[in-house]
Amino acid sequence: MECKAWSRHSAIGDNRTMTGFPKRDATDRSDVVGEKKDDAHTCNVALLGFGTVGSSVARILCERSNTHLRLTYVLNRNVARKKVDWLPSSVKWTENIDDVLESDVDIVVEVMGGLQPTEDWIRRTLSLGKSVVTANKQLMARCGPELINLACQMRQQIQFGASVAGGVPVISGLQEGLAGDDLFKIRGILNGTCNYILSQIEANAIPFATALREAQKLGFAEADPTEDIDGLDARAKLAILARVGLHCNVTPESVVARSISAIDSVDFEYASQLGCTIRQISWAELRTDLKATGKADHLFAAVQPALVELASPLARVEGSQNLVVATGRYGGETVFGGHGAGGNPTAVAVVSDILAIARSQQATTTTTTSNAGQPAETTPTVTADFTAKHYLRFLVKDRPGIIASLATILSERGINIDAVVQKPDCPKSHLPFLITLEECKASLVEQALQQINSLDFLVQPCLHLPIL
Ligand SMILES: NC(=O)c1ccc[n+]([C@@H]2O[C@H](COP(=O)([O-])OP(=O)(O)OC[C@H]3O[C@@H](n4cnc5c(N)ncnc54)[C@H](OP(=O)(O)O)[C@@H]3O)[C@@H](O)[C@H]2O)c1
């Protein structure tokens, strides 16, 4: 049997509306969530997890009466404290996964997060011939291909549209909307927390630590923000996008992730002088060595703070928004943007996935998947060694000869300085200044910085950012 690895499909049959559901009277409320309806087309849904996303999914299912979806189970640990009065009494609350799996539920929605017991529960669900919708990026980045294969074997589906960029339909956009193109580059702002913090440093000229504290107070950053700040959250999402859009088998660990914590408000001043701003950019690009193999064999991939030109759509992303720019051989650039997180936007993506599965279940008696026409997945070498212009920001104890020492080390590696910029009236003991470099490989700059960072006039290690 063929598997459509990272894809969904839908079909429209006889006596269906354009969304694939039977035509019905607007006053017919017989399929309102949770109400009993013996209809061959009714699709029973169970929710695993009743937190931020889960409760929003339940509310949409409850309030939207124009679908044939019926919420039958809500599972959560210590479930008594989770119960709400706005769900129909027919919805069963449980702490026991067996209650869900032994029921006539068609689609299990996993919005608990974490790797375990989530992975085991999803495997059991698929093995029992039920489809799955998940918003879990860490799980899909690590186990996506195996879970999709299992779904294929069982002639079921696993959809994960909410796992990247929350409510922005980027996964379905890449899989379906741009399936006709040959995509080779995906760039994006995939972490709203980092984007919010960087936007605040830029707008209010505050230090990183202050911006982080305020983001935590407002609920835009976790108490432990490491996953976001150090780029681990975004690289899991980038690994998923590289699979979906570039057909590359990439593990999150193979993607270099660099923290935004060294960015200071002075960097935004310098960036603005260069016609740029600073954003955490997730970047994956296929490079084809046509002479050698004719195949794309290198994937340049990294998550890092970078300078982006003010004219770029990436520079205009404010606050906790997400944006993805996909570039194809035929269609050029396509931009997807919107709310990357939050209960309701993420729940919209989840419900859209549920509806997509429900549609395909109605279109065929058995849910089948096929990969006809999908490019084969490759496993390229992953590298973060981009060729780019570079931004080096120093903080030094001023003395004569500093620029000469730096220029010597850079020139020994064949690196050309483009410009030197110094803010006037800064204290001599903590003097920031900037050197920009002409295009060269990031690895060359890193080698030079190993030597530079041991020089005794540096107050702190040099901040190195690519200029994209
Ligand atoms: N929030 C967003 O904006 C967003 C955006 C995109 C994707 N996502 C993804 O969506 C998923 C859910 O996120 P969320 O923000 O809704 O998280 P959340 O608010 O923490 O909700 C998770 C819910 O699942 C329950 N739960 C966790 N582990 C469980 C277990 N082992 N057994 C039973 N119940 C369990 C939690 O119970 P307790 O109350 O006991 O903790 C909580 O009610 C995650 O994978 C996340 O990465 C979230």
Side-chain angles (χ1 to χ4, degrees), residues 49-54 75-77 81-82 111-113 117 121 135-137 162 166 340-343 346:
F50 199 72
T52 307
V53 179
L75 175 145
N76 207 96
R77 59 192 169 203
R81 78 204 146 96
K82 291 283 179 177
V111 278
M112 300 186 322
W121 290 1
N136 193 326
K137 65 207 148 241
T346 309

Short mmCIF file of all heavy atoms in Angstrom, two decimals, residues 49-54 75-77 81-82 111-113 117 121 135-137 162 166 340-343 346, ligand 1:
data_model
loop_
_atom_site.label_atom_id
_atom_site.label_comp_id
_atom_site.label_asym_id
_atom_site.label_seq_id
_atom_site.Cartn_x
_atom_site.Cartn_y
_atom_site.Cartn_z
N GLY A 49 -6.53 16.09 26.70
CA GLY A 49 -5.96 17.35 27.17
C GLY A 49 -6.99 18.45 27.11
O GLY A 49 -7.54 18.74 26.04
N PHE A 50 -7.28 19.07 28.26
CA PHE A 50 -8.27 20.15 28.32
C PHE A 50 -7.60 21.38 28.92
O PHE A 50 -7.98 21.89 29.96
CB PHE A 50 -9.48 19.70 29.15
CG PHE A 50 -10.71 20.52 28.91
CD1 PHE A 50 -11.42 20.40 27.73
CD2 PHE A 50 -11.17 21.42 29.88
CE1 PHE A 50 -12.56 21.16 27.50
CE2 PHE A 50 -12.31 22.17 29.67
CZ PHE A 50 -13.00 22.05 28.48
N GLY A 51 -6.52 21.83 28.25
CA GLY A 51 -5.81 23.04 28.69
C GLY A 51 -6.15 24.18 27.74
O GLY A 51 -7.29 24.31 27.29
N THR A 52 -5.13 25.00 27.44
CA THR A 52 -5.36 26.20 26.62
C THR A 52 -5.97 25.83 25.26
O THR A 52 -7.00 26.36 24.85
CB THR A 52 -4.01 26.93 26.38
OG1 THR A 52 -3.42 27.15 27.65
CG2 THR A 52 -4.19 28.24 25.66
N VAL A 53 -5.31 24.91 24.55
CA VAL A 53 -5.79 24.56 23.20
C VAL A 53 -7.02 23.65 23.29
O VAL A 53 -8.02 23.87 22.60
CB VAL A 53 -4.66 23.88 22.38
CG1 VAL A 53 -5.15 23.50 20.99
CG2 VAL A 53 -3.44 24.80 22.28
N GLY A 54 -6.96 22.64 24.18
CA GLY A 54 -8.06 21.67 24.27
C GLY A 54 -9.38 22.34 24.57
O GLY A 54 -10.41 22.04 23.95
N LEU A 75 -10.48 13.74 27.93
CA LEU A 75 -9.58 13.09 28.89
C LEU A 75 -8.61 14.12 29.45
O LEU A 75 -8.06 14.92 28.70
CB LEU A 75 -8.79 11.98 28.20
CG LEU A 75 -7.72 11.30 29.07
CD1 LEU A 75 -7.61 9.82 28.73
CD2 LEU A 75 -6.34 11.97 28.92
N ASN A 76 -8.41 14.09 30.75
CA ASN A 76 -7.36 14.90 31.39
C ASN A 76 -7.01 14.24 32.72
O ASN A 76 -7.86 13.55 33.31
CB ASN A 76 -7.85 16.33 31.65
CG ASN A 76 -6.70 17.34 31.68
OD1 ASN A 76 -6.42 17.98 30.67
ND2 ASN A 76 -6.02 17.48 32.80
N ARG A 77 -5.78 14.43 33.19
CA ARG A 77 -5.48 13.91 34.53
C ARG A 77 -6.25 14.77 35.54
O ARG A 77 -6.55 15.94 35.25
CB ARG A 77 -3.97 13.93 34.79
CG ARG A 77 -3.34 15.28 34.67
CD ARG A 77 -1.84 15.20 34.63
NE ARG A 77 -1.28 16.49 34.26
CZ ARG A 77 -0.09 16.66 33.73
NH1 ARG A 77 0.71 15.63 33.50
NH2 ARG A 77 0.35 17.86 33.43
N ARG A 81 -11.32 18.66 38.40
CA ARG A 81 -11.09 20.11 38.47
C ARG A 81 -11.21 20.76 37.09
O ARG A 81 -11.19 21.99 36.97
CB ARG A 81 -9.71 20.38 39.10
CG ARG A 81 -8.55 20.17 38.17
CD ARG A 81 -7.24 19.86 38.86
NE ARG A 81 -6.52 18.95 38.00
CZ ARG A 81 -5.61 19.33 37.13
NH1 ARG A 81 -5.25 20.59 37.04
NH2 ARG A 81 -5.01 18.45 36.34
N LYS A 82 -11.29 19.97 36.04
CA LYS A 82 -11.33 20.52 34.68
C LYS A 82 -12.76 20.70 34.16
O LYS A 82 -12.97 21.37 33.15
CB LYS A 82 -10.60 19.57 33.72
CG LYS A 82 -9.10 19.52 33.93
CD LYS A 82 -8.47 20.76 33.34
CE LYS A 82 -6.98 20.78 33.55
NZ LYS A 82 -6.35 21.92 32.92
N VAL A 111 -3.94 17.07 22.49
CA VAL A 111 -3.48 18.42 22.82
C VAL A 111 -3.03 18.46 24.28
O VAL A 111 -3.34 19.39 25.02
CB VAL A 111 -4.57 19.50 22.52
CG1 VAL A 111 -4.56 19.88 21.07
CG2 VAL A 111 -5.95 19.04 22.94
N MET A 112 -2.29 17.39 24.67
CA MET A 112 -1.72 17.33 26.03
C MET A 112 -0.30 17.86 26.01
O MET A 112 0.20 18.41 26.98
CB MET A 112 -1.62 15.88 26.51
CG MET A 112 -2.92 15.14 26.59
SD MET A 112 -2.73 13.51 27.34
CE MET A 112 -1.19 12.91 26.75
N GLY A 113 0.41 17.62 24.90
CA GLY A 113 1.83 17.97 24.81
C GLY A 113 2.70 16.89 25.44
O GLY A 113 2.19 15.88 25.96
N PRO A 117 3.02 10.13 28.14
CA PRO A 117 2.56 8.94 27.41
C PRO A 117 2.00 9.23 26.02
O PRO A 117 1.43 8.34 25.39
CB PRO A 117 1.46 8.39 28.32
CG PRO A 117 0.85 9.62 28.93
CD PRO A 117 1.99 10.59 29.12
N TRP A 121 0.07 6.61 23.44
CA TRP A 121 -1.38 6.72 23.27
C TRP A 121 -1.72 6.93 21.80
O TRP A 121 -2.71 6.39 21.29
CB TRP A 121 -1.94 7.85 24.14
CG TRP A 121 -1.89 7.53 25.62
CD1 TRP A 121 -1.39 6.39 26.19
CD2 TRP A 121 -2.37 8.34 26.69
NE1 TRP A 121 -1.51 6.45 27.56
CE2 TRP A 121 -2.11 7.63 27.90
CE3 TRP A 121 -2.97 9.59 26.77
CZ2 TRP A 121 -2.45 8.14 29.15
CZ3 TRP A 121 -3.31 10.11 28.03
CH2 TRP A 121 -3.04 9.38 29.20
N ALA A 135 -1.26 18.64 17.98
CA ALA A 135 -0.63 19.96 17.87
C ALA A 135 0.80 19.90 18.40
O ALA A 135 1.41 20.93 18.65
CB ALA A 135 -1.43 20.97 18.70
N ASN A 136 1.33 18.68 18.53
CA ASN A 136 2.56 18.45 19.30
C ASN A 136 3.80 18.48 18.40
O ASN A 136 4.15 17.49 17.77
CB ASN A 136 2.39 17.07 19.96
CG ASN A 136 3.40 16.81 21.04
OD1 ASN A 136 4.54 17.24 20.94
ND2 ASN A 136 2.98 16.09 22.06
N LYS A 137 4.49 19.63 18.39
CA LYS A 137 5.64 19.78 17.45
C LYS A 137 6.80 18.89 17.85
O LYS A 137 7.47 18.30 16.99
CB LYS A 137 6.10 21.23 17.36
CG LYS A 137 6.67 21.77 18.66
CD LYS A 137 6.54 23.24 18.82
CE LYS A 137 6.37 23.55 20.28
NZ LYS A 137 5.19 24.19 20.69
N ALA A 162 -1.52 22.17 13.47
CA ALA A 162 -1.30 23.17 14.53
C ALA A 162 0.09 23.07 15.14
O ALA A 162 0.44 23.88 15.99
CB ALA A 162 -2.35 22.99 15.63
N GLY A 166 0.99 27.61 14.90
CA GLY A 166 -0.34 27.70 15.50
C GLY A 166 -1.46 27.79 14.48
O GLY A 166 -1.71 26.84 13.75
N GLY A 340 0.61 32.82 15.69
CA GLY A 340 1.35 31.58 15.80
C GLY A 340 1.05 30.79 17.05
O GLY A 340 1.54 29.68 17.22
N ALA A 341 0.27 31.35 17.94
CA ALA A 341 -0.03 30.65 19.20
C ALA A 341 -1.34 31.21 19.75
O ALA A 341 -1.97 32.07 19.14
CB ALA A 341 1.10 30.86 20.19
N GLY A 342 -1.70 30.68 20.93
CA GLY A 342 -2.94 31.12 21.57
C GLY A 342 -4.01 30.07 21.38
O GLY A 342 -4.02 29.35 20.37
N GLY A 343 -4.89 29.96 22.36
CA GLY A 343 -5.90 28.92 22.36
C GLY A 343 -6.75 28.92 21.09
O GLY A 343 -6.80 27.92 20.37
N THR A 346 -4.86 28.41 17.56
CA THR A 346 -4.34 27.04 17.43
C THR A 346 -5.50 26.06 17.30
O THR A 346 -5.42 25.09 16.52
CB THR A 346 -3.47 26.70 18.66
OG1 THR A 346 -2.52 27.75 18.82
CG2 THR A 346 -2.75 25.39 18.49
N1 LIG B 1 -0.79 27.04 23.55
C1 LIG B 1 -0.46 27.34 22.30
O1 LIG B 1 -0.53 28.49 21.88
C2 LIG B 1 -0.01 26.25 21.36
C3 LIG B 1 0.28 26.58 20.02
C4 LIG B 1 0.67 25.56 19.14
C5 LIG B 1 0.79 24.27 19.60
N2 LIG B 1 0.54 24.00 20.91
C6 LIG B 1 0.69 22.62 21.37
O2 LIG B 1 -0.57 22.14 21.82
C7 LIG B 1 -0.37 21.20 22.88
C8 LIG B 1 -1.16 21.66 24.10
O3 LIG B 1 -0.73 22.95 24.48
P1 LIG B 1 -1.52 23.80 25.59
O4 LIG B 1 -0.95 25.17 25.53
O5 LIG B 1 -2.98 23.63 25.45
O6 LIG B 1 -1.02 23.10 26.93
P2 LIG B 1 -1.71 23.14 28.36
O7 LIG B 1 -2.51 24.38 28.55
O8 LIG B 1 -0.66 22.83 29.36
O9 LIG B 1 -2.76 21.92 28.30
C9 LIG B 1 -2.38 20.58 28.34
C10 LIG B 1 -3.48 19.83 29.04
O10 LIG B 1 -3.19 18.44 28.97
C11 LIG B 1 -3.22 17.89 30.28
N3 LIG B 1 -2.21 16.83 30.36
C12 LIG B 1 -0.89 16.96 30.17
N4 LIG B 1 -0.28 15.77 30.32
C13 LIG B 1 -1.26 14.87 30.59
C14 LIG B 1 -1.27 13.49 30.85
N5 LIG B 1 -0.13 12.78 30.86
N6 LIG B 1 -2.44 12.89 31.11
C15 LIG B 1 -3.58 13.59 31.10
N7 LIG B 1 -3.66 14.92 30.88
C16 LIG B 1 -2.49 15.55 30.61
C17 LIG B 1 -2.88 19.04 31.20
O11 LIG B 1 -3.37 18.78 32.50
P3 LIG B 1 -2.89 19.67 33.77
O12 LIG B 1 -3.90 20.75 33.89
O13 LIG B 1 -2.90 18.72 34.90
O14 LIG B 1 -1.51 20.17 33.48
C18 LIG B 1 -3.59 20.20 30.52
O15 LIG B 1 -4.95 20.30 30.90
C19 LIG B 1 1.16 21.14 23.09
O16 LIG B 1 1.68 20.08 22.34
C20 LIG B 1 1.64 22.46 22.53
O17 LIG B 1 2.98 22.43 22.09
C21 LIG B 1 0.13 24.94 21.80
#
